Amino acid sequence: MIVRSLRRTMVSGGAMLSLTALSACDLAPTYHPPTYVVPATWHGQAPFATATPADTQLPSNWWTVLHDPQLDALEDKAMAANADLQAAAERFVQARAMVMQARADLLPHFGLAFGASDNKQSADRLFRYKGALTQTDEFYGGLASWEPDFWSEIRNQVRMAKYSAQQKAADFAAARLSLQAELADDYVALRGYDAQDAIYRKSIAYYQQAVSVTQSQLANQAAPRLDLARAQNRLYVTQAAELDILAEREVTEHAIAILTNSAPSGFHIAPVETLHFTRATIPVGVPSDLLQRRPDVASAERQMAQANRAIGVSRAAFYPHIALSANGGFDANGFDLANLANSMWSYGASASMPIFEGGLRRAALQASWASYREMRDRYRSSVLSAFREVEDGLSRTDRLWAENDRLRAAVSAALDMQNMTMTLYKGGVSPYLDAIIAQEAALDAQISQVQVATRYFQAEVGLVRALGGGWNDKLLPTPDQTMTFSVLQYDGLHHPTPAGGIDTPVDETPYDDLTGTPTLRTGTVPMGK
């Protein structure tokens, strides 16, 4: 038996136009993102002037404002190799695939079917039809179906998938900014530990000299044994404090290794003596620009847009669903393809409409409305958090820089006091207790100054992160750019699709077609508009 089915929509050109017109009935509410009244300037009085129109954006490689080549190299390595960032890129690829999957339901579906069989009946079968015990059956054909999208249910699902892909692109940008900021923050902390360790090592050398001085004084009976005990105590306490700083440095170094996709055991950053970062000039812009510069805010807005379209999908469930189908072909005992008497065909339409389902669809509609309101509230919360983080960054940078100035003056005074009291002690004019107090004050002032300076540069990193790190919503792919291939494309089935559309290292074509494993990881696909 041969069946050749032709899947046809069985509508004329005029009917197709009328169906297209009906499909424009969109049941989703009109979407308008919430608007907010924002101040003209920031409240925080940070040492950063409002940027000029020609300098309103941070560079995408914003960490270069710290002028540290080692940090630049680490950031580049993290962007190229961090596993969490690559996973975020793959989530974007998955979202784009879901766009094409949803879009497929808008188009007619065609298929082919063919086969053959040879059947033998049992001679002792009850009620067997008199005739041959064997029978052959050969068939081939095609299948087709289409569901007109009268109520834009499928179109809204496609729009939701496109918005989801845009959201994943914004999530990737947020993950990338988070990675960049975390790495810069850890690196600043590491250099802060280096500066503290250098202070401790200098203090330990000074205290060792002080122990020698007190031993000489004790040998000459010019000082009591108490002075030697005090000097030794100060030395041992400082040595212990240095070990604690070294432990913190190693832990931070391990964290940087993971961020750059390196094994901690084989990763090392050479220490330096001082904090050598340059105070950055950060263009903070105006508050009204912030919502376009934060990827997390853009992600929240795209989630809200998806929830808005979901209402239209839930509403469409209350209306009739119509499906068209057609098939035709040949069915015969043998390969007699030219015999029109063996031809067969069928076509038809079906419609279904809910009458009573116990409130099932109304519950789904109410849930979609509640989900939309939840996404709107989350968007509002993300906006408020964004403004708070910028104001926090402005306040911290302002206060910490002023605090750092005061502490540098305190360090200078404390070092003078330490030198003078030791000179007086050597001359027998001052007790060693004064020298101990001066030594503690000098060490505490130096450590506090380095810690505050470290916090200041970390606050700079936090401010840049709060401002979006040079990102803006124009970098998001448009809804149409989330579609990745043609409906008639059949190549590229043996290797993954590169994560194009966002700035990320991707797997290009050098794949093993048998195992599907990559043989080379290289390349960067920039996002275009």
Side-chain angles (χ1 to χ4, degrees):
M1 181 169 87
I2 302 172
V3 179
R4 182 172 60 186
S5 304
L6 295 178
R7 232 34 204 343
R8 296 175 296 175
T9 58
M10 310 307 279
V11 292
S12 64
M16 180 68 76
L17 292 175
S18 63
L19 291 176
T20 303
L22 285 174
S23 68
C25 181
D26 190 355
L27 300 177
T30 303
Y31 177 67
H32 296 292
T35 57
Y36 298 94
V37 178
V38 297
T41 59
W42 297 103
H43 178 268
Q45 300 299 318
F48 310 112
T50 301
T52 62
D55 189 27
T56 58
Q57 283 288 335
L58 287 161
S60 58
N61 56 343
W62 53 265
W63 54 88
T64 57
V65 300
L66 295 175
H67 298 94
D68 189 303
Q70 180 76 54
L71 176 60
D72 297 345
L74 290 172
E75 291 283 1
D76 291 340
K77 185 177 181 180
M79 294 306 101
N82 183 266
D84 292 333
L85 187 61
Q86 291 183 349
E90 294 304 328
R91 287 191 289 272
F92 172 69
V93 175
Q94 296 169 34
R96 291 196 308 175
M98 297 303 295
V99 173
M100 303 307 296
Q101 181 176 337
R103 183 176 178 268
D105 290 336
L106 285 172
L107 305 174
H109 292 185
F110 297 91
L112 295 174
F114 54 88
S117 65
D118 189 5
N119 310 301
K120 177 184 180 300
Q121 297 181 359
S122 171
D124 295 333
R125 178 183 175 187
L126 185 62
F127 304 121
R128 181 177 66 83
Y129 176 76
K130 293 181 179 181
L133 297 177
T134 62
Q135 182 181 11
T136 60
D137 183 27
E138 294 84 18
F139 66 93
Y140 74 96
L143 306 172
S145 65
W146 181 50
E147 180 180 346
D149 190 24
F150 289 110
W151 319 114
S152 291
E153 177 182 8
I154 301 176
R155 294 175 187 269
N156 279 325
Q157 290 173 343
V158 174
R159 294 178 183 122
M160 288 175 61
K162 290 180 177 179
Y163 298 161
S164 176
Q166 289 182 302
Q167 176 201 337
K168 293 300 185 292
D171 289 342
F172 170 81
R176 180 175 57 187
L177 177 59
S178 178
L179 173 62
Q180 294 168 349
E182 184 177 356
L183 177 57
D185 188 89
D186 287 347
Y187 184 80
V188 170
L190 182 82
R191 291 314 187 193
Y193 291 135
D194 284 345
Q196 292 183 60
D197 181 54
I199 293 173
Y200 278 121
R201 284 188 281 105
K202 292 178 181 179
S203 298
I204 289 171
Y206 183 86
Y207 298 157
Q208 287 174 338
Q209 294 178 359
V211 169
S212 298
V213 170
T214 55
Q215 287 176 336
S216 298
Q217 296 283 64
L218 179 61
N220 296 328
Q221 297 184 349
R225 185 172 181 81
L226 179 60
D227 289 350
L228 178 59
R230 286 171 173 168
Q232 291 174 335
N233 172 264
R234 190 62 192 164
L235 173 62
Y236 300 148
V237 168
T238 306
Q239 288 174 335
E242 185 199 14
L243 293 175
D244 185 70
I245 289 297
L246 292 175
E248 293 296 329
R249 186 194 190 279
E250 290 177 359
V251 171
T252 304
E253 192 175 54
H254 298 164
I256 294 175
I258 297 301
L259 293 177
T260 57
N261 198 41
S262 303
S265 58
F267 183 83
H268 180 66
I269 299 176
V272 296
E273 294 291 325
T274 59
L275 281 174
H276 53 272
F277 300 114
T278 303
R279 190 186 186 196
T281 301
I282 301 176
V284 297
V286 294
S288 59
D289 294 337
L290 183 63
L291 302 188
Q292 286 74 46
R293 297 162 63 179
R294 291 271 301 223
D296 58 334
V297 173
S299 175
E301 188 275 329
R302 290 291 84 189
Q303 283 184 302
M304 185 169 53
Q306 293 174 62
N308 179 79
R309 290 296 175 182
I311 296 174
V313 174
S314 298
R315 281 177 169 176
F318 288 88
Y319 294 85
H321 281 215
I322 298 175
L324 304 177
S325 63
N327 60 72
F330 294 89
D331 186 353
N333 184 7
F335 291 94
D336 189 6
L337 305 181
N339 190 350
L340 295 179
N342 295 327
S343 65
M344 59 182 301
W345 52 264
S346 68
Y347 64 89
S350 64
S352 62
M353 181 175 179
I355 300 299
F356 176 76
E357 293 181 317
L360 176 65
R361 302 183 186 232
R362 183 170 296 276
L365 178 59
Q366 291 181 353
S368 63
W369 273 108
S371 177
Y372 171 74
R373 292 193 296 268
E374 178 190 0
M375 295 301 105
R376 185 181 59 188
D377 292 336
R378 287 187 178 182
Y379 175 73
R380 181 176 59 182
S381 176
S382 64
V383 169
L384 292 176
S385 296
F387 281 104
R388 178 187 62 82
E389 289 172 4
V390 174
E391 292 288 1
D392 289 349
L394 293 172
S395 297
R396 288 194 180 101
T397 50
D398 179 29
R399 303 303 180 186
L400 287 173
W401 188 255
E403 183 180 356
N404 185 57
D405 285 339
R406 305 301 190 277
L407 284 174
R408 281 186 294 190
V411 167
S412 179
L415 290 176
D416 290 341
M417 181 174 61
Q418 176 181 257
N419 294 333
M420 288 187 291
T421 54
M422 181 55 69
T423 300
L424 293 174
Y425 174 72
K426 291 178 180 179
V429 178
S430 175
Y432 190 70
L433 182 59
D434 291 345
I436 287 291
I437 295 174
Q439 291 169 5
E440 291 178 351
L443 180 58
D444 291 345
Q446 292 179 87
I447 295 298
S448 296
Q449 188 272 323
V450 169
Q451 289 176 342
V452 169
T454 301
R455 289 171 55 198
Y456 168 78
F457 289 113
Q458 288 178 320
E460 275 193 353
V461 172
L463 178 58
V464 170
R465 181 176 183 175
L467 291 171
W471 186 87
N472 65 78
D473 58 2
K474 293 183 177 60
L475 296 176
L476 281 180
T478 64
D480 287 341
Q481 287 175 339
T482 61
M483 296 186 292
T484 58
F485 54 84
S486 169
V487 295
L488 299 178
Q489 179 179 342
Y490 294 97
D491 59 343
L493 301 180
H494 300 290
H495 57 81
T497 302
I502 49 179
D503 300 325
T504 178
V506 299
D507 294 336
E508 295 290 355
T509 53
Y511 270 76
D512 187 312
D513 288 339
L514 296 178
T515 64
T517 57
T519 58
L520 177 66
R521 296 181 62 86
T522 182
T524 300
V525 177
M527 177 168 16
K529 285 295 291 180

